[in-house]
Structure formats: C-alpha cells, structure tokens
Amino acid sequence: MGARLGIANGVHSDTRGTIMAIDRREFLVRAAGAAAAVALVPEAFPAAVRARNGPVSVGVIGCGRQGRKIAIEMLDKMGEGARVAALCDPVDRLTQNLLGRAKGAAAFANHKEMLDKAKDVQAVIIATPTHTHKDIALDCIAAGKHVYCEAPLAHTPEDCLAISKAARGAKAVFAAACEGRSNPIYNLARSFFKTDAVRTVVGMYAQDHRKSSWGRSGDWWLDPSVSTGLAGESGVQQFDVMHWFRGTYPVEVNGRGAIRLYEDGRQVADSVRATLRWADDTELTYSASLCNSFGGKHETFYGVNAAMKLAWTHGWMFKEADSPQMGFEVYANRQSFHNDEGITLIADATKLASQGKLKEGVGLPNPSHYYAVNDFIAAVAEGKEVKCSASEGARATIVALLTNEAVKGAKTVAIDAEMLKGA
Amino acid sequence: MPPVLMALEAMGTRFEAVLVGEDEFALRSAGEAAFEEIRSLHARLSAFEQGSVVSLLNQRAAAGPVRVAGDVFGLLSLCRGVWEASGGAFDPTVGPLMRLWGFRQRGGEDWNPPTDAEVEAARARVGMNLVQLDAESWSVRFSRPGVAVDFGAVAKGYALDMCAEVLRERGVACAFVHGGTSSISAIGAPPGAAGWVVEVKSPIEGVGSKRVSLRDESMSVSAPHGREVMVRGERLGHVIDPRTGRPARGAALAAVVSRSGALADAWSTAGLVLGGGADRLPEGMRMMVLSQGGVWEG
C-alpha cells in the first residue's frame, strides 16, 4: 500500500485519457473532494443543462434501439440544453418514427450527407452498429463535431485505437458512452470506495441477466463476423465500472459461452461466463445470460470492510460487523436481502435526512443514459469535464472485446497492458 | 405452430400478448420490441415516475412553456379533443379532485367526504382549458400553479397503439394484446375466425355479458367496480366527474371500440361519466353502455 502504481498493477487516468500513477494519499484527498461535490436533491432533473447560448444542435446518427432511446430522452427532458436537429439512418422507417417527435429536425440517410448539409449540427450521437462506429467517428471528428459515441466504441482493438487517437487530436469534445461514470449513485459509491469503505478488494462480480431473445438471426449483433457478443455489447459498461473504481485493468481473461435457449440458428452465445484476473490476483466473475432475468444487471465489489452492490438505478453497501463506523449509519436507509442488510446509497443523504426525505432519494429517477448524455451536453455547452474520454472508452472496449474472444474460443486471453496504454 | 404467449408488468397492470404466426423466434423478437415500447411509455408517461416527462411538465409548466416531444404533444392534443367533444366528461387534469376524494390513498373505510369549498378549490385547478398547447413550438404551459396532467386514463390504450404499430412493422399480422383486460388491441383475426371475440362481463349481478368481435381494432372498458370508497355508508366508484368534482354516477360500465386505443380509453371514461354519449363519438367508433339499472345500450 502506498507505493506508486504502475501500468502492470495500477493505472489511473484523467478524463482526457492521460495515464498517470498516483498514490493512495492523493487518492484520499481527491475522494474527499469528490464526496463533497456529490449532490442530488430529490428533484428528478437536477442536472439538466440550460445552455447559455441556446440549445446545442445535435445530430443523432443511428435511430435504432439505442439512438431512439437517447433522442427521446433529449426530446423529453433536455429541451433547454439540446435540440435534436438531425436524424440519420439508412432505414427510412426509423428516422420517420423520430421525425414525428422532433420538431424541426431534418432526416438523412447517412452521416456524410448530414455532415455535408446540416451545417448547424454542433454535436453528434453515434448509435449505429458497433462495427460502423470508427468510420463515422473519424468523419465527425474531422468535421469538427463534438462526438458522443456509444460503447463499445468499436468491434476491433485496432478501430478502438484509431478512434482514441483521432479524439486525442481533436479540439472538440469526445465522450465515450460508459454510463457508470455519469451515474450519481455510482459517483457516490466511488467516493466511498476511494475512502476505503470497502478497503482491500478481494473479489468482484458482475452480471447482466435478462429474459430476452436479443433480436433474431439476421440482426447485426447476432452476426458472428461483427458481433462483440454479450461481453462486448453489455459487459463493456460493467468492465468500465471496475476499471474506473479500481484505477487498474485486468491482465488476463478466461471465458466460455453456449446457446442454451435460443436455437434459432444463431452462433452468438446466449449465456456466457468469464473470469477476468487482475495483476494482484483479484478476479472479476462475469456472467451474462438471455435465458433468465434473476438478479438483473449489477456489479459487486467484495472488500474486507464491506461489499458494495451497484445496480444502475440503485446501490447498497453491506458492512462487515467489524468494520469501522463511518458516521452516517445512524440515519442511513436500509434494505434487507435474506440474511444481509444493505445501507442504501443515496447521494446527498445528509441533506435529505435533515429534510425527512431520505426515502425519496432511493433510486435514480432517470435511466443511466440520461445522465451520460446530459454530461456530454454540459461538456459541449459549458466546457464541463468529459466523464469518459475516448481513451477510457477504448480501454473498456478492448477488455470487453478480449473477453468476447475468450468466450468464443473457450480459452484464456492475455490483456496487453501496452495496448491499453496506447489507447 | 402454437401461438407465442408473452407477459409484461407495466403501468400498474399486467400486459399479455398472444402472437400467431409461423416463425416462433420472429414472433418472440417482435413481441419483445413491442413490450419494450410499452416499458418506455410507462417510464415517460407515468405521473408517479419521478423521471417521466409528465412529472417534468407538472413541475415546470406552470412557470413557463415546456417543449415536449411530438408524440407527447399529440397525446395532449388528443386529450384536449376528447375533453372538448365530451363537454369535459373526460379530463386528464382531474388529479387534484382524485387526491381530494382519496381514491388513490384510501381503501374501503368509511369517511366524511370533502366539503363543497374543498371541491370548488380543487376544481379551480382542473380543466384542459388551463393547459395551453402551442402547436407551433410543441410547448405546453399551465395557466396556474397546481394544475397537473395525468395520462392514467389513456396511457394503456396509447401504449397498445404503439405496441401494435411495432408488431405490424415487424410483420406480425395476427395478434391480441391487452393491458389489465380493460384495454385491448386486436391485430387481424385468429385463423378461421372473423375476429377476436371478447366477452365484456357485466358488473351487475344477474345481467348478461356482451360479446364483441374485434379485427384491427382496439377496445377499452371502463367501470368503477373493484375500486370504490365508502362515503357515509354510500359506495362510490373511483371515477370522478370533472364537471361536478364528485364521483360519477353515469353508467355502470362503458366500452368503446375504435381504431385508436388511446381514443377508446378516453371515450370509455367519458362514456362512464356521461352514462352514454355515443352521439358524441367521432366517426368509426362505437360505444356500449350498461346503465346503472342494468340495461345494455349500443
């Protein structure tokens, strides 16, 4: 403890993706600042950007499932900060569906046409199939647009590196859609994590379990030539949380997968398991399944003082009986899970408790992509910090892609620290 | 191939779908996409979800115009149209009266009703005339503080409209979807049948049910039974007549069939309050009403 951390056993990066080593003392100082900065009042839209110079004009590239979700979130709640000005998709039905919701938006069949004709577009959301991200991202960066790119950033490590290199050279904002970094509960949890509430991590677990076919044979994410699998499309968000909390990356991954339910001709596993090992021999057990929804999506850190379970809209800390008191336990909201009692992680709990509104703060009112997109708009409109840089997004994606490779080959794959460093 | 059966808990009720076709996996995938639409609309349209667009409107629209997405503006416009055509019998701003009468908080216990003054004070915050809709900017503004919209009476029907749209887009030509059995959407007809046959049960003992055949249509049924409160010994249904500010005493049940589930939902509520009103319906819709005396009309 206390030694300066290197790439092999500990990496911290700033939001521009610069890797730097920091010591534990600095961690604690930063964490104290972070804890003080966290504030969530029980209003549903605490951080909605109100752009001083009028709403940021946004082009949504890719109007399928994710692009549509983001566009609707902007249309519903971010009117003062963002205006959906352009919609791009080769499938006319998808753009038409959103055109009826977005006042004054223009529709385009592809991003090149949009970049050519919609000169008022300042920022773009890239929510196209993963394997198409790179070309679109490079074109948008070259055109000087602010870019929010869905994660995984790309379907190959090479494409990830190309995107992060281009983003580093850009003057405009580039944000990777690793949503945990914008999530108010995750930010609060991380501030506790960094102040040793969990203390030494002895293990990690992440799962994404749902009952869903995930589309049908023919959908691009089920095409084995371009699919990043469950580990890529979903795991990337969870792996990034682990990286962000720990400031380090795994060095090796072992995985396997199977088709257990959806025998519709697909070749992409509907159930996967993987173990990601860190240099300190701690392991993340990862499970994703489309066959059963029990437990949903969450990540858990197991430490000698406490376990911390994060489930995107909710979070809990389960303290060991012999762990030191932290001061807030007296007013903490608690929930029982069989034999365990969790302290609900509520941002700005002290203030809410003093107002007798603690329970109103339980759970997030918005989906996690709301906070991530809102942070992106804040970075564009107000020059605020980018929560996940292209470099961090690329690293999380590379880890996810290598996990998918391990799953597909039922093998162990080394995670090259030099490659991560180059992102 | 047997039909694909699917279910979803959303909007405070259970949605169920029967999907008929040859490709089980295609049907299931289409059903999941359609249910995803319902989930999304639940999150956006619920007055009880802190992060919904309805909550945002109710927090901010009294202070100034709030721009909304086109579908939300369209739904508000639809509500205003039914409010006008029904003479105010259907009103999505009825929330203050619902809260006053305690239909959302109280069980079956007997209690004293609100005073006339309390009813009048609540009514001052009720009425679609207090909701200004600007079609140029798709913005919404409330005329005074305390006004709030609640899509509870149309959301299920609207969600089923969107659900059916997704199913059709994905090639589903034969399906039956309902939300809590009171809102129904029928696509095509079952093999060998003219339509999906639905039985509307009478809430009055001894009165027979009605059978309705649906094909590419929606139906909504409104009835106060099952959600009632006791007021000074009198059993009152949970539907408020926005025109009087008091529990409706119109019909025992109203059912409306329409191409639009949202319109069917809104008009079945209006029909219950009015005790009829088929003559006010837009063209192409039909209404069945069971009077308090147990007589079916329509």
Side-chain angles (χ1 to χ4, degrees):
Chain A
M1 296 291 285
R4 291 189 76 81
L5 305 175
I7 187 72
N9 63 353
V11 176
H12 176 81
S13 74
D14 68 5
T15 54
R16 291 177 183 79
T18 312
I19 289 184
M20 55 190 175
I22 63 173
D23 62 23
R24 182 169 172 271
R25 186 174 165 192
E26 191 178 351
F27 259 174
L28 294 175
V29 172
R30 287 187 185 191
V38 171
L40 177 68
V41 293
E43 189 194 342
F45 315 99
V49 176
R50 298 182 184 197
R52 279 187 291 272
N53 299 319
V56 174
S57 292
V58 179
V60 178
I61 305 174
C63 299
R65 188 161 32 185
Q66 190 65 10
R68 186 166 178 272
K69 272 187 193 174
I70 291 173
I72 287 175
E73 209 66 28
M74 286 195 288
L75 290 166
D76 276 352
K77 304 172 192 169
M78 298 182 199
E80 291 170 326
R83 182 176 74 85
V84 177
L87 298 159
C88 269
D89 203 290
V91 180
D92 186 55
R93 171 176 59 81
L94 297 177
T95 48
Q96 290 303 320
N97 183 293
L98 280 175
L99 268 184
R101 293 173 162 89
K103 185 87 177 171
F108 302 96
N110 60 68
H111 74 282
K112 286 183 187 291
E113 189 187 356
M114 185 198 77
L115 291 174
D116 188 43
K117 293 180 180 170
K119 299 295 183 192
D120 63 324
V121 168
Q122 300 164 275
V124 297
I125 305 287
I126 300 177
T128 56
T130 301
H131 59 284
T132 66
H133 285 181
K134 186 199 78 176
D135 290 343
I136 296 170
L138 296 192
D139 287 346
C140 292
I141 291 169
K145 305 300 180 190
H146 304 288
V147 175
Y148 177 92
C149 186
E150 268 305 319
L153 281 194
H155 76 311
T156 67
E158 294 73 24
D159 281 6
C160 290
L161 297 176
I163 291 173
S164 65
K165 183 181 175 188
R168 278 199 304 274
K171 287 181 182 169
V173 168
F174 187 102
C178 291
E179 297 167 0
R181 295 180 188 239
S182 292
N183 184 311
I185 287 176
Y186 280 48
N187 275 276
L188 176 69
R190 185 169 177 266
S191 71
F192 283 129
F193 186 89
K194 293 294 187 191
T195 49
D196 265 2
V198 170
R199 206 162 173 84
T200 308
V201 172
V202 295
M204 294 161 281
Y205 177 74
Q207 73 163 53
D208 184 0
H209 289 180
R210 45 189 145 140
K211 185 79 178 288
S212 161
S213 68
W214 207 28
R216 52 186 294 207
S217 206
D219 287 329
W220 65 265
W221 55 88
L222 291 175
D223 174 355
S225 68
V226 294
S227 176
T228 67
L230 286 172
E233 292 302 322
S234 166
V236 63
Q237 297 287 345
Q238 300 182 287
F239 301 148
D240 181 67
V241 169
M242 299 295 169
H243 305 161
W244 180 48
F245 271 58
R246 299 199 71 190
T248 57
Y249 301 86
V251 295
E252 183 183 275
V253 56
N254 176 275
R256 59 199 156 89
I259 296 167
R260 301 201 181 278
L261 180 60
Y262 301 101
E263 293 176 345
D264 56 354
R266 71 180 62 185
Q267 297 172 52
V268 175
D270 61 21
S271 298
V272 308
R273 300 277 288 186
T275 303
L276 294 86
R277 188 174 65 78
W278 264 248
D280 62 1
D281 267 339
T282 53
E283 290 182 340
L284 162 65
T285 302
Y286 171 71
S287 172
S289 178
L290 302 172
C291 309
N292 184 288
S293 65
F294 184 71
K297 182 178 179 180
H298 67 261
E299 304 84 43
T300 305
F301 293 93
Y302 300 92
V304 296
N305 272 356
M308 195 176 265
K309 179 176 175 179
L310 304 171
W312 295 88
T313 55
H314 293 74
W316 303 269
M317 184 152 62
F318 301 86
K319 294 186 68 181
E320 292 294 328
D322 62 354
S323 66
Q325 291 290 302
M326 299 180 73
F328 58 79
E329 290 90 340
V330 284
Y331 59 76
N333 186 70
R334 295 166 190 273
Q335 285 176 267
S336 291
F337 302 83
H338 188 45
N339 287 333
D340 299 306
E341 189 176 66
I343 294 172
T344 317
L345 294 174
I346 303 172
D348 207 22
T350 311
K351 181 177 172 186
L352 293 177
S354 70
Q355 296 170 348
K357 294 179 177 176
L358 195 56
K359 287 197 172 176
E360 292 178 31
V362 174
L364 289 181
N366 297 297
S368 60
H369 59 271
Y370 165 83
Y371 300 100
V373 173
N374 197 52
D375 278 342
F376 169 63
I377 298 299
V380 172
E382 302 170 357
K384 289 194 173 171
E385 172 193 32
V386 172
K387 292 298 175 75
C388 186
S389 66
S391 297
E392 281 303 333
R395 289 184 194 119
T397 300
I398 290 169
V399 170
L401 295 175
L402 295 177
T403 303
N404 187 46
E405 189 184 322
V407 167
K408 284 198 296 183
K411 63 184 180 183
T412 299
V413 174
I415 297 171
D416 182 359
E418 287 305 313
M419 183 188 283
L420 297 183
K421 195 176 177 181
Chain B
M1 197 197 83
V4 170
L5 308 178
M6 300 180 71
L8 169 75
E9 298 288 340
M11 296 186 170
T13 192
R14 179 178 172 87
F15 285 82
E16 292 180 321
V18 180
L19 310 176
V20 181
E22 293 305 313
D23 184 340
E24 178 194 346
F25 292 103
L27 289 172
R28 189 164 292 283
S29 173
E32 287 169 358
F35 276 0
E36 185 61 36
E37 185 67 30
I38 294 176
R39 259 192 222 101
S40 166
L41 288 169
H42 165 80
R44 297 177 67 210
L45 300 183
S46 169
F48 304 101
E49 293 287 331
Q50 283 185 62
S52 72
V53 65
V54 170
S55 292
L56 183 139
L57 272 178
N58 292 343
Q59 280 178 28
R60 294 187 181 166
V66 176
R67 280 182 68 154
V68 295
D71 56 344
V72 176
F73 191 83
L75 190 54
L76 279 164
S77 301
L78 180 147
C79 289
R80 176 188 283 280
V82 180
W83 174 78
E84 284 173 351
S86 69
F90 166 78
D91 193 331
T93 67
V94 76
L97 287 164
M98 295 290 282
R99 279 189 291 279
L100 180 69
W101 282 87
F103 292 150
R104 287 182 181 151
Q105 300 90 12
R106 292 174 186 270
E109 80 272 31
D110 207 343
W111 62 294
N112 288 323
T115 64
D116 290 349
E118 287 171 332
V119 169
E120 286 313 306
R123 280 189 66 204
R125 289 178 280 132
V126 172
M128 276 302 281
N129 55 313
L130 303 176
V131 179
Q132 300 163 23
L133 302 178
D134 182 353
E136 282 300 306
S137 61
W138 287 354
S139 64
V140 184
R141 182 169 193 169
F142 298 158
S143 298
R144 64 182 62 157
V147 175
V149 293
D150 184 340
F151 288 130
V154 292
K156 277 194 296 175
Y158 181 67
L160 288 175
D161 287 340
M162 297 300 102
C163 171
E165 189 177 307
V166 171
L167 290 173
R168 286 192 175 98
E169 279 174 5
R170 291 175 174 250
V172 177
C174 182
F176 182 90
V177 192
H178 75 83
T181 71
S182 60
S183 297
I184 294 163
S185 178
I187 297 177
W196 295 90
V197 178
V198 178
E199 185 171 290
V200 182
K201 286 190 175 175
S202 160
I204 300 174
E205 206 171 316
V207 175
S209 56
K210 273 265 187 183
R211 287 192 163 199
V212 181
S213 179
L214 302 174
R215 184 180 189 126
D216 294 318
E217 289 172 310
S218 297
M219 184 169 84
S220 175
V221 181
S222 290
H225 63 283
R227 291 170 63 189
E228 297 166 319
V229 291
M230 294 293 291
V231 177
R232 288 182 181 155
E234 187 183 6
R235 191 175 297 278
L236 297 174
H238 73 282
V239 176
I240 288 278
D241 184 342
R243 301 167 304 171
T244 63
R246 297 165 198 287
R249 296 166 189 271
L253 179 149
V256 171
V257 176
S258 166
R259 293 276 176 190
S260 156
L263 277 176
D265 262 11
W267 274 106
S268 69
T269 301
L272 189 75
V273 169
L274 292 167
D279 54 323
R280 304 182 188 217
L281 288 177
E283 200 175 339
M285 293 172 62
R286 57 190 197 273
M287 180 185 282
M288 288 145 286
V289 171
L290 179 65
S291 70
Q292 299 280 6
V295 179
W296 282 105
E297 293 172 25

